Amino acid sequence: MPTSINPANGETFEEIAGHDDEHVQRVLENADRAYAQWRLTSFDERAVILRKVADILEAGQNKYGRLATLEMGKRLEEAKAEVKKCATVCRYYADHAAEFLSDKIHESDAEKTLVSYQPIGLVLAVMPWNYPFWQLFRFAAPNLMAGNVGILKHASNVPQCAMAIEEIFTEAGLPQGCFQTLLIGSSKIEALIDDERVKAVTLTGSEPAGAAVASQAAKQIKKAVLELGGSDAFIVMPSADIDAAIQTGIKARMQNNGQSCIAAKRFIVHEDVYDEVIDGFKQKFEAMTLGDPMDEGTDLGPLATKDIRDELAGQVDESVKDGATLVTGGKTPDRDGWFYPPTILAEIPKDAPAYMEEFFGPVALFFKVKNIDEAIEIANATTFGLSSAAFTKDGEEQKRFIRDLVAGGTFINRMTASDPRIPFGGVKHSGYGRELSAEGVHEFVNIKTVAIDSPAF
């Protein structure tokens, strides 16, 4: 049963009946009928609705932000910013989808040749709890503008966010069936992917979940886009602005209470500036206030669930047992809620969990290196490849990091961030495919070649 539990105190405040198989079939039928009409609408008609969605999000940012904070524990300030960002992506695609999806003229032996970008139908979105609005809207905005329709299977701990998203689209005037939420368990996903009315699937989540969804989609020869975990490197070299690197690195690690796939997690620091950087982190970490994410004075809220908190604590304890040095933190607070303190691990052995695994919470992992080659080697010594960041003012070092860091993105002298204007996604076990920008809207369309002799238009 989908359940809302306040991570700040562990109290259940809403239980919602899930959808049965009969309801699932009605949703699929509604989507199929809706697509037959929605695909024929113009970009201008779609854009009007997306702009109304943006208006609703902005007007309701406090309401929707509070809902996200209640269900998964992010600080209210961050939750409201997330809702505003969703409005931005809606307006971005309302403004640019027609350009991205317009016919492109090509040369061939035919008198007229073009590439046409056409919708494919119903796309299933399997979405996580950590950005309960943003993850969904960055899928929905481009796909609705492309003429597709969508079904959302959201994480079971954010059911009210899931229902609110469908209500937002309905309020904006999106035709019935074009976007629907299903409150179902993960065991129902396989049957949805197998259904012939579902043409593709996108998932943001864990590596095991991505592997399961991708393999099922492959059996049905359906397109899948995966955005999975990350253990992003944040490299600091001697030429960097060290104060900026420390400030940015702390923000990059602690965003969303440390629960972000693109959060900086592994801090790889040149030995010449290592002590200054780790001391700066330690000082800032120990000054942070843990507390109610609704309070303005809170620096760090709870983790989303007890299981997530306990898993993180276990990874830290096991890493220390294996020889890692606990610099600060590392002790679960004796209080209600799923809190974990800002923690730093250093001198991490290769066989410790902290060397290879993703730590999904407020734990910074430090590595000391002697040169750029060692920095790149450690940065790439992971199964993940979502993003990376490097702080250096040396032009040759910047070029090396851009060329040699194996990740879906490299950010120089700034933290990794998703932005509607630039493509987002990973390599290796962080997934495949891209979201956002023109690349994102092209993932779920039929890129159709058209060749005409004696063209009449």
Side-chain angles (χ1 to χ4, degrees):
M1 176 179 292
T3 304
S4 299
I5 300 175
N6 186 344
N9 56 28
E11 295 179 1
T12 298
F13 63 93
E14 191 75 35
E15 290 185 338
I16 303 171
H19 292 141
D20 59 20
D21 291 344
E22 183 178 344
H23 183 87
V24 171
Q25 288 304 311
R26 286 199 300 270
V27 164
L28 289 167
E29 291 166 6
N30 290 340
D32 202 40
R33 285 194 298 269
Y35 171 64
Q37 297 303 315
W38 183 249
R39 62 182 290 271
L40 302 177
T41 58
S42 68
F43 289 119
D44 287 343
E45 291 173 288
R46 300 168 195 167
V48 166
I49 293 173
L50 263 290
R51 292 189 180 101
K52 287 182 180 177
V53 169
D55 291 341
I56 294 167
L57 287 165
E58 288 181 337
Q61 63 183 276
N62 188 63
K63 176 177 70 172
Y64 300 124
R66 289 181 66 85
L67 187 57
T69 296
L70 280 170
E71 287 202 305
M72 60 71 57
K74 69 173 69 214
R75 293 189 305 115
L76 180 58
E77 178 184 353
E78 291 184 323
K80 290 192 291 186
E82 177 182 338
V83 175
K84 290 179 66 176
K85 190 173 182 178
C86 294
T88 300
V89 78
C90 289
R91 289 203 175 94
Y92 176 79
Y93 280 106
D95 292 343
H96 295 286
E99 170 195 349
F100 294 154
L101 297 169
S102 63
D103 292 347
K104 303 297 189 295
I105 299 298
H106 285 243
E107 292 186 2
S108 78
D109 292 338
E111 291 183 40
K112 184 176 183 179
T113 303
L114 56 89
V115 170
S116 179
Y117 301 90
Q118 300 181 352
I120 60 172
L122 171 58
V123 182
L124 169 65
V126 182
M127 292 290 131
W129 48 264
N130 59 334
Y131 290 93
F133 284 89
W134 170 243
Q135 301 278 13
L136 185 280
F137 276 94
R138 76 185 194 192
F139 151 76
N143 275 279
L144 288 171
M145 283 302 301
N148 294 323
V149 298
I151 289 177
L152 167 64
K153 187 280 181 221
H154 220 324
S156 61
N157 61 322
V158 290
Q160 293 187 80
C161 290
M163 293 189 300
I165 291 166
E166 180 176 341
E167 291 167 1
I168 289 168
F169 282 113
T170 299
E171 183 180 346
L174 186 69
Q176 182 183 11
C178 287
F179 184 91
Q180 301 168 91
T181 289
L182 280 176
L183 300 180
I184 57 175
S186 57
S187 63
K188 303 287 187 180
I189 294 174
E190 180 177 327
L192 279 174
I193 295 173
D194 288 348
D195 193 288
E196 63 180 9
R197 290 165 290 193
V198 174
K199 304 303 181 185
V201 59
T202 180
L203 176 140
T204 298
S206 69
E207 186 180 345
V213 163
S215 61
Q216 194 62 34
K219 290 178 184 177
Q220 301 300 326
I221 317 179
K222 294 180 180 179
K223 178 75 174 286
V225 168
L226 306 177
E227 194 264 276
L228 308 178
S231 189
D232 290 2
F234 188 103
I235 301 169
V236 183
M237 300 298 286
S239 67
D241 180 331
I242 302 303
D243 288 341
I246 293 170
Q247 181 178 351
T248 305
I250 291 170
K251 181 180 179 181
R253 174 63 280 202
M254 292 303 180
Q255 62 180 321
N256 209 37
N257 300 333
Q259 300 164 117
S260 172
C261 295
I262 57 170
K265 299 185 176 79
R266 296 178 300 132
F267 293 85
I268 302 167
V269 185
H270 193 281
E271 61 184 5
D272 290 352
V273 294
Y274 180 87
D275 289 345
E276 182 180 358
V277 173
I278 197 169
D279 288 347
F281 268 69
K282 183 176 183 292
Q283 180 181 347
K284 297 290 187 181
F285 275 24
E286 292 177 348
M288 286 185 171
T289 301
L290 273 70
D292 187 340
M294 292 290 186
D295 293 344
E296 290 185 4
T298 293
D299 297 312
L300 187 67
L303 300 186
T305 70
K306 184 178 185 298
D307 287 346
I308 292 167
R309 193 273 307 276
D310 291 349
E311 180 181 356
L312 181 68
Q315 288 176 300
V316 171
D317 291 345
E318 186 64 30
S319 295
V320 172
K321 181 181 176 182
D322 290 339
T325 298
L326 180 63
V327 177
T328 190
K331 181 177 175 57
T332 302
D334 183 15
R335 60 183 295 173
D336 292 336
W338 319 134
F339 291 90
Y340 196 77
T343 298
I344 297 173
L345 293 178
E347 299 172 342
I348 300 166
K350 288 187 176 181
D351 57 352
Y355 197 89
M356 288 292 294
E357 296 177 8
E358 179 179 26
F359 277 45
F360 216 60
V363 179
L365 312 172
F366 269 78
F367 301 82
K368 183 190 294 186
V369 296
K370 296 176 180 175
N371 52 51
I372 189 171
D373 294 327
E374 190 176 355
I376 291 170
E377 180 183 357
I378 292 177
N380 290 337
T382 174
T383 59
F384 297 108
L386 192 53
S387 193
S388 56
F391 274 67
T392 173
K393 293 180 180 178
D394 184 298
E396 292 305 311
E397 288 180 348
Q398 292 178 0
K399 292 176 184 177
R400 278 288 311 278
F401 288 132
I402 292 167
R403 186 190 71 186
D404 292 342
L405 290 176
V406 182
T410 295
F411 290 66
I412 304 294
N413 296 324
R414 59 187 296 120
M415 62 181 277
T416 295
S418 57
D419 182 318
R421 297 165 293 184
I422 54 178
F424 177 81
V427 295
K428 300 197 289 187
H429 286 201
S430 290
Y432 50 75
R434 291 294 180 267
E435 296 176 290
L436 303 177
S437 192
E439 287 80 358
V441 78
H442 287 158
E443 287 287 1
F444 293 123
V445 294
N446 175 16
I447 302 175
K448 185 175 185 179
T449 298
V450 179
I452 311 168
D453 283 341
S454 301
F457 69 94

